[in-house]
Amino acid sequence: MILTADYHTHTPYSHGKNTVYENAKAAKDKGLKQIAITDHGFNHLLFGLKRKRLSDLRSEINEAEHFTGVKVLMGMESNIISISGKTDMKESDLKYFDVYLCGIHEVLRFASFSDMFNIFFKNYTAYKFGKKPSQKVIENTTKAYINVIKNNPVDILTHINYKCYCNLNEVAKCCADYGTYIEINTKKRHISAEELNSMAQTGARFVIDSDAHSADRVGDTKIADELLAEADIPLDLIDNIDGRLPRFRFAEYKEKNL
């Protein structure tokens, strides 16, 4: 298995150590065809991307692509901020980006106190104390993921089930229906081999991403290699390996609507 593209990397525009160029250069050195710069979303209170810096980021991306020859996509790892499916990517923001990632994170400005309590607090408390979350917590988190997929042209769900708990099969079914990829994140283990096998049976498709916060981790696949060795899903369900590139729904949405 050889990675073709890495669609989840960070830079100092949010929480990463290396520049856009350094990430792109690392991608080139590892033989990748594409890379995405996907800094944390606007509502992240500690490391959120700033809207006033979007033009600077685009300039750095264009320069990195020119000097490395690697296709560099401008993206964002947006945040789910409500059970109803809102993210911190507004309609007016979409024109600036090439790829749309989304996940659940800590230290966010949520749409309401209720959303913060039900999405973050209850999930994080269960994670922190190593307890199984209640069925209601799982239902609310599942609703949040599904509503985000239905209401936004999200390309990739990031590190699903990390410090949060949902019905993975129901979310995977929705991903299959709407053309959203499920990320196999290689920065942290967030799903088991059994869970991956079960999601694969829904028709969902996957990408492997490094979630690199430093250039030396761009293109890393170690955790994915270990997970796939334990699982038994066909590799043709993973669309950014062995020369393949994903078909992203956000690009199609922009072509039709923006």
Side-chain angles (χ1 to χ4, degrees):
M1 181 186 76
I2 299 174
L3 197 69
T4 309
D6 188 347
Y7 295 109
H8 188 173
T9 75
H10 296 271
T11 73
Y13 280 90
S14 65
H15 194 209
K17 295 180 179 179
N18 292 97
T19 65
V20 174
Y21 171 77
E22 288 168 335
N23 281 10
K25 178 63 164 56
K28 179 181 181 180
D29 292 344
K30 293 187 177 181
L32 303 185
K33 294 181 178 179
Q34 294 185 351
I35 187 175
I37 305 300
T38 52
D39 283 299
H40 288 291
F42 302 119
N43 281 33
H44 198 297
L45 296 176
L46 297 179
F47 305 116
L49 182 62
K50 306 299 182 185
R51 285 184 173 87
K52 64 183 179 182
R53 301 202 66 196
L54 291 179
S55 60
D56 294 335
L57 177 57
R58 174 59 76 181
S59 294
E60 287 195 36
I61 282 173
N62 290 343
E63 186 175 88
E65 185 173 299
H66 173 75
F67 284 107
T68 65
V70 173
K71 179 64 179 176
V72 184
L73 303 178
M74 180 166 163
M76 188 173 83
E77 188 186 12
S78 62
N79 300 293
I80 297 174
I81 61 172
S82 78
I83 293 174
S84 65
K86 292 180 181 178
T87 81
D88 52 1
M89 182 86 84
K90 297 180 180 178
E91 184 73 23
S92 57
D93 298 321
L94 296 178
K95 62 180 178 289
Y96 296 105
F97 295 95
D98 306 311
V99 63
Y100 190 163
L101 280 62
C102 193
I104 294 177
H105 295 87
E106 307 167 47
V107 201
L108 299 180
R109 184 170 62 253
F110 284 87
S112 70
F113 177 81
S114 175
D115 289 309
M116 184 276 292
F117 185 75
N118 288 298
I119 296 175
F120 166 68
F121 181 79
K122 288 191 173 183
N123 270 300
Y124 187 75
T125 300
Y127 166 80
K128 191 71 174 177
F129 291 99
K131 295 182 178 180
K132 184 178 179 179
S134 69
Q135 189 59 37
K136 187 63 176 177
V137 171
I138 293 172
E139 288 174 1
N140 282 334
T141 309
T142 302
K143 285 179 184 177
Y145 275 123
I146 288 175
N147 286 332
V148 159
I149 295 164
K150 288 181 175 179
N151 296 332
N152 305 274
V154 173
D155 290 318
I156 302 170
L157 288 185
T158 62
H159 47 69
I160 188 171
N161 242 35
Y162 180 68
K163 295 186 181 180
C164 61
Y165 305 90
C166 67
N167 184 319
L168 287 169
N169 280 9
E170 289 304 310
V171 176
K173 288 176 186 176
C174 189
C175 285
D177 289 342
Y178 283 82
T180 293
Y181 286 93
I182 296 173
E183 177 184 79
I184 300 173
N185 186 292
T186 69
K187 184 172 184 283
K188 49 215 156 212
R189 274 202 176 236
H190 57 105
I191 51 174
S192 68
E194 293 76 16
E195 289 168 338
L196 180 59
N197 287 340
S198 185
M199 287 191 291
Q201 292 175 5
T202 69
R205 302 191 69 82
F206 304 88
V207 292
I208 295 171
D209 286 330
S210 69
D211 193 359
H213 285 60
S214 57
D216 63 325
R217 283 208 63 256
V218 169
D220 176 72
T221 62
K222 184 175 184 295
I223 287 178
D225 293 336
E226 295 169 350
L227 181 64
L228 291 167
E230 299 168 13
D232 57 8
I233 75 166
L235 293 184
D236 60 9
L237 291 181
I238 303 171
D239 281 351
N240 65 329
I241 63 171
D242 300 336
R244 297 192 296 275
L245 293 172
R247 180 177 178 179
F248 285 139
R249 63 184 292 209
F250 181 50
E252 296 178 358
Y253 174 89
K254 286 187 70 174
E255 187 176 339
K256 292 178 181 178
N257 298 281
L258 299 180

